[in-house]
Amino acid sequence: MPRKLPFRVIHVSGQDESYRAAELNYHSPLTKGWQASRYCLYPQDIVIQLENRSRLRKIQILSHQYLIATKIEFFVGDIPDEQSQDIENARYTRLGYVSLSDNEKTGYKARELKSVHVDAIGLYLKLNIHKNHINKYNIYNQVGIIAINVIGDEIRRPTDLTDPDVYLDPDKRRAIEADPSLEGLYNKPDFISPLDDLAFDMYQDPEIAGIIRKLEKKKQEAVLQERFEYAKKLKAAISELQKVGEKLGKFEVEKRQAVENEDYDKAKLKKVQMDEYRLQVYKDLNLPDLLETSGSRHPQTIDLEPIRQPTPPRLQELSYRTPPQTPPPRTPYDERPLPAMKNKDQKPTSDSPPPPRTPYDERLLPTKPPPVPEEDDPPPESSSGITGEPEPMGEKELREASYAIDVFGEPLVSKAYSKTWSYREDALLAVYKQVQESSVSGKEECRNLLKATIFLVKRAIDDKVYAVFKAGLHLLRMILTEYIAKHKLQKQDYVYAVEKTIPNLLHKGGDTAARCREDSKSFVLEEASFPDVKSTNIVPHECTKPIKLSLAPRQAQSQCEIVESLYRQLGIKTNSGLTVDNLMQFCVTALGHNSGEVREVAERIIKELYKEAKEPVKDYLPPDNEKNRKITLYRQLYEYFDRVDGKPSKSEVKKRKSDDERKKQQEIEMLQQQLQQLKDMASGKQPVDESILENKKAPPRKQDAKKKNDKKKKDDDDISMYNMDNICIFCGERNESFTEEGLDLHYWKHCPMLKRCTNCKQVVEIASYTEHLLTECELKTNYQRCPRCTEAIPKSDFDEHTAAKSCNVARTGTNHCPLCHQNIGAGEEGWKSHLMSREGCKQNPRRLLALNKTPAAGKTKAAPKGKKTPR
């Protein structure tokens, strides 16, 4: 059940010396809170560290009444397993943001409490606080936060995060185990107690708040003991004390104000009032009796505090037994005590209790485990056995492997930690047999064995000796294909096993040994095809996480090749775990790597993906323009896209245009040369050349000329019908000046079917102007569609617009003009008639320009006398 998580502020970008960030560590009516320094730069950052790694469920912010930020962004930070717990190693994920009211309506007298429900795991919470709202009281442009509250669950075990029992307090878990019918009472994974709400501590007297929490715990205890009359009294007392606490909190604030004003008589009076009122309430409620300070009146008691026993030395385990009816308390994974450091030969005394045991302590380890199946190159020692004992483990190693020692015992784990590779391999083979033949029935014991095994598998994958590495892979394969299914564990256990080991496999993909690289890549692809693993999509999810640009080239190339193989194996069909989004984010990051081999694989993936997904792929790449085409990588991708789409690439179009211009220029030069020769022959400067004269045809007869003119007219009609050169594709106007540059000018200033967006200045069709404002414009977040007229309305005017109900209702089967707000004819012809005709849209200024140009274009010169004007 989520509860209030303790924390401390470890970083702040700035603070007022009178309102330091340390104030946020405590909650009480006297908390002053944090304020930024005067005239600070924005945004301001605050980073808090939780006591333990936790799952955050709710974040609360109590803002200052007039030093108000416009927006606060939230980031959760976590530290990878292999790195030390240091804020410098934290990796942050953005959760979102909240906007704060300017508080003008309350006269800057009320404080805004923002509660945000989240679901994120981490150790740090960062607040990114943006610039302040401007008001007459905030003269130094500061922001202030009175209090921060974080509610969630401490992660006592690093896995099974979906299992509500993970976050259950030990005392409640023990009560449920004793009486399963109480599970519904305590196992409430989403219930947040009102006592953990920020408003409770900020307006309650601290002493009363502590008493209320004790009474609440007593009430839960009474319910477990079926003391319902006592629980009823406690409930009434809690309700009364909440009112008392708020009143005492108000008295405390008034007393503090009197002290600041140096009105000590008033401060003394308030103190006396508080003491008398407090004592009277305690007497009326008979508080000592409610708290049972003299002892419980009921014979049954429930131990709410589990007894923690230190882990004993492993060498003593086989000599002692504990009664089966009193199993040792299980501690959460992250809080498991370290193994006790005793002398190897020390014997337990008669006064010391026997050490706690696990179900695996009674099973002796085999001296010679069976060989791992399908082992291609078994080492000599694994077939002949190992003599002697491995070196003892150091203190650091014992602490690190304490969980595995609890399950497998120190002798076996010390072999896994040995400097002799044959000992390490034998340890894995022994674990293989023990896990495969395991007969434990409880889910908890099965998970304990699974987690201890995965810990050893991770070490084996990172091992430099190929035989040990292969033994680790075989063990992991058996876990994923046999063990979890055999014991009917949850899908979350598959996720845990893969999630913990796949970073090691990806790292192994960058190994200098070729067979280690290939085996690690092959195993990742193999486990992605295991039926129970495939359904979780965990392998594609982990592999497509964007790589770091500083990653070693060999490892980065290996991960890219794995992603490429996964795409070919799984595709982007539904439930494959691969999507255009995660593939393109991965590939775009890989394109920035300094290794050409890495970029080459990423480019291959993008090309293959474009064949299947087409246009969505381009959304993740820079715009296709001349500037980006100068970059070789992007030019090659864009040209490939053009070829896939059946279009000539821009380089081919440019080359073809250049060839056409060259041929045209050659023809012109040839004709000019022939003309000059004819002129020279006519003037006698050059003898007559019959071959040139033969090319000059006699003038056509009248009838032939008529046929030629008719044919030419027909050809011109055909050209006007099918030739789209010099024509605007929107309004249909033909003009000889409509070259590529001329059309751009026409679109920009004159086309009556287009307009410029008032926000981003992009030229868009009027017919799609509303959709542009809602989905494409740079300021699309400032607009909202009216359900009545379907137009894009600025959010600042949206409430007033919808309340007025004065807009023109959009009718089905018609178009709706965003300029004049009228319903017009359906289809493209309806738009053309409305935007270009003389009786069309009165709010389209380009319509008049188009109408003024039409008559001028239709005028012709006066025909010579005796000739008619062609029609």
Side-chain angles (χ1 to χ4, degrees), residues 471-484:
L473 292 186
H474 285 301
L475 179 55
L476 180 57
R477 182 183 291 107
M478 186 269 292
I479 288 288
L480 296 175
T481 57
E482 299 178 25
Y483 177 78
I484 298 179

Side-chain angles (χ1 to χ4, degrees), residues 21 110 142 155-156 163 209 216 244 278 318 352 406 413 415 474 488 570 634 682 707 746 776 823 835 839 862:
Q142 296 170 277
I155 299 180
R156 301 174 184 273
D163 185 1
E216 181 66 23
V244 172
R278 192 189 305 273
L318 297 177
S352 60
D406 289 341
V413 178
K415 279 190 174 184
H474 285 301
K488 298 180 180 179
L570 303 175
Y634 293 128
K707 291 180 179 180
H746 172 72
E776 299 174 352
N823 295 320
L835 296 174
E839 293 77 18

Side-chain angles (χ1 to χ4, degrees), residues 278-347:
R278 192 189 305 273
L279 291 174
Q280 185 62 39
V281 169
Y282 291 170
K283 182 178 179 181
D284 292 344
L285 293 177
N286 196 4
L287 196 60
D289 191 30
L290 285 175
L291 291 172
E292 296 182 341
T293 53
S294 59
S296 174
R297 299 183 180 183
H298 197 279
Q300 180 183 359
T301 58
I302 292 182
D303 183 14
L304 295 179
E305 293 296 327
I307 300 174
R308 305 292 177 95
Q309 299 184 10
T311 305
R314 296 291 102 193
L315 294 178
Q316 309 299 331
E317 286 184 351
L318 297 177
S319 304
Y320 295 93
R321 297 286 189 272
T322 53
Q325 66 274 15
T326 56
R330 298 193 179 278
T331 59
Y333 301 122
D334 291 344
E335 298 183 1
R336 182 172 296 277
L338 299 177
M341 299 301 295
K342 293 186 179 181
N343 190 301
K344 195 172 183 180
D345 300 325
Q346 179 180 353
K347 303 294 181 181

Side-chain angles (χ1 to χ4, degrees), residues 616-678:
V617 173
K618 294 182 178 179
D619 296 339
Y620 297 86
L621 297 172
D624 183 4
N625 53 37
E626 293 298 331
K627 179 181 178 181
N628 290 322
R629 280 186 177 259
K630 292 179 180 178
I631 303 173
T632 305
L633 177 62
Y634 293 128
R635 182 176 67 252
Q636 292 173 349
L637 285 174
Y638 297 142
E639 290 179 353
Y640 179 83
F641 295 163
D642 291 340
R643 289 196 298 272
V644 172
D645 294 337
K647 301 186 299 186
S649 64
K650 290 193 175 182
S651 59
E652 292 175 349
V653 171
K654 188 175 181 181
K655 182 180 179 182
R656 188 181 303 172
K657 186 176 180 181
S658 176
D659 292 342
D660 291 342
E661 289 179 355
R662 187 172 65 254
K663 290 179 180 178
K664 185 177 179 180
Q665 186 63 29
Q666 290 175 353
E667 292 176 359
I668 292 173
E669 291 176 356
M670 186 179 297
L671 290 173
Q672 288 177 345
Q673 184 179 359
Q674 291 179 359
L675 180 61
Q676 185 63 38
Q677 289 176 351
L678 290 172

Side-chain angles (χ1 to χ4, degrees), residues 397-539:
E397 294 170 336
L398 285 169
R399 185 175 291 116
E400 181 186 76
S402 60
Y403 192 85
I405 292 174
D406 289 341
V407 175
F408 295 115
E410 187 175 342
L412 177 58
V413 178
S414 63
K415 279 190 174 184
Y417 271 77
S418 174
K419 295 179 181 179
T420 305
W421 67 266
S422 52
Y423 280 129
R424 300 197 298 272
E425 186 193 21
D426 274 5
L428 292 170
L429 298 177
V431 170
Y432 185 99
K433 182 175 182 180
Q434 183 170 336
V435 173
Q436 192 177 43
E437 297 176 354
S438 172
S439 59
V440 293
S441 57
K443 294 288 175 59
E444 194 65 30
E445 287 77 8
C446 293
R447 289 195 177 98
N448 290 341
L449 182 58
L450 170 67
K451 292 171 177 61
T453 305
I454 293 299
F455 173 80
L456 296 178
V457 167
K458 286 168 60 69
R459 285 185 56 85
I461 294 174
D462 292 337
D463 203 293
K464 295 181 180 180
V465 178
Y466 181 71
V468 180
F469 166 64
K470 286 290 287 184
L473 292 186
H474 285 301
L475 179 55
L476 180 57
R477 182 183 291 107
M478 186 269 292
I479 288 288
L480 296 175
T481 57
E482 299 178 25
Y483 177 78
I484 298 179
K486 174 183 175 183
H487 295 279
K488 298 180 180 179
L489 299 182
Q490 300 176 349
K491 282 190 177 181
Q492 193 66 26
D493 297 295
Y494 287 102
V495 173
Y496 171 79
V498 175
E499 198 175 45
K500 286 293 183 182
T501 55
I502 204 166
N504 303 79
L505 289 168
L506 295 177
H507 183 267
K508 197 70 173 181
D511 199 273
T512 54
R515 59 179 180 175
C516 289
R517 291 199 304 271
E518 294 305 318
D519 284 355
S520 63
K521 290 192 290 185
S522 299
F523 188 85
V524 171
L525 299 176
E526 181 186 358
E527 69 179 350
S529 64
F530 294 157
D532 292 314
V533 176
K534 186 177 181 180
S535 62
T536 64
N537 295 330
I538 183 62
V539 174

Side-chain angles (χ1 to χ4, degrees), residues 10 183 373 404 453 662 706 793 822:
I10 60 172
E183 182 173 5
T453 305
R662 187 172 65 254
K706 183 178 180 182
I793 308 300
Q822 299 298 317

Side-chain angles (χ1 to χ4, degrees), residues 137-164:
Y137 300 102
N138 193 356
I139 57 178
Y140 300 115
N141 290 335
Q142 296 170 277
V143 291
I145 293 178
I146 303 300
I148 300 172
N149 190 31
V150 183
I151 297 175
D153 310 284
E154 290 185 359
I155 299 180
R156 301 174 184 273
R157 292 178 288 182
T159 58
D160 298 334
L161 300 181
T162 60
D163 185 1

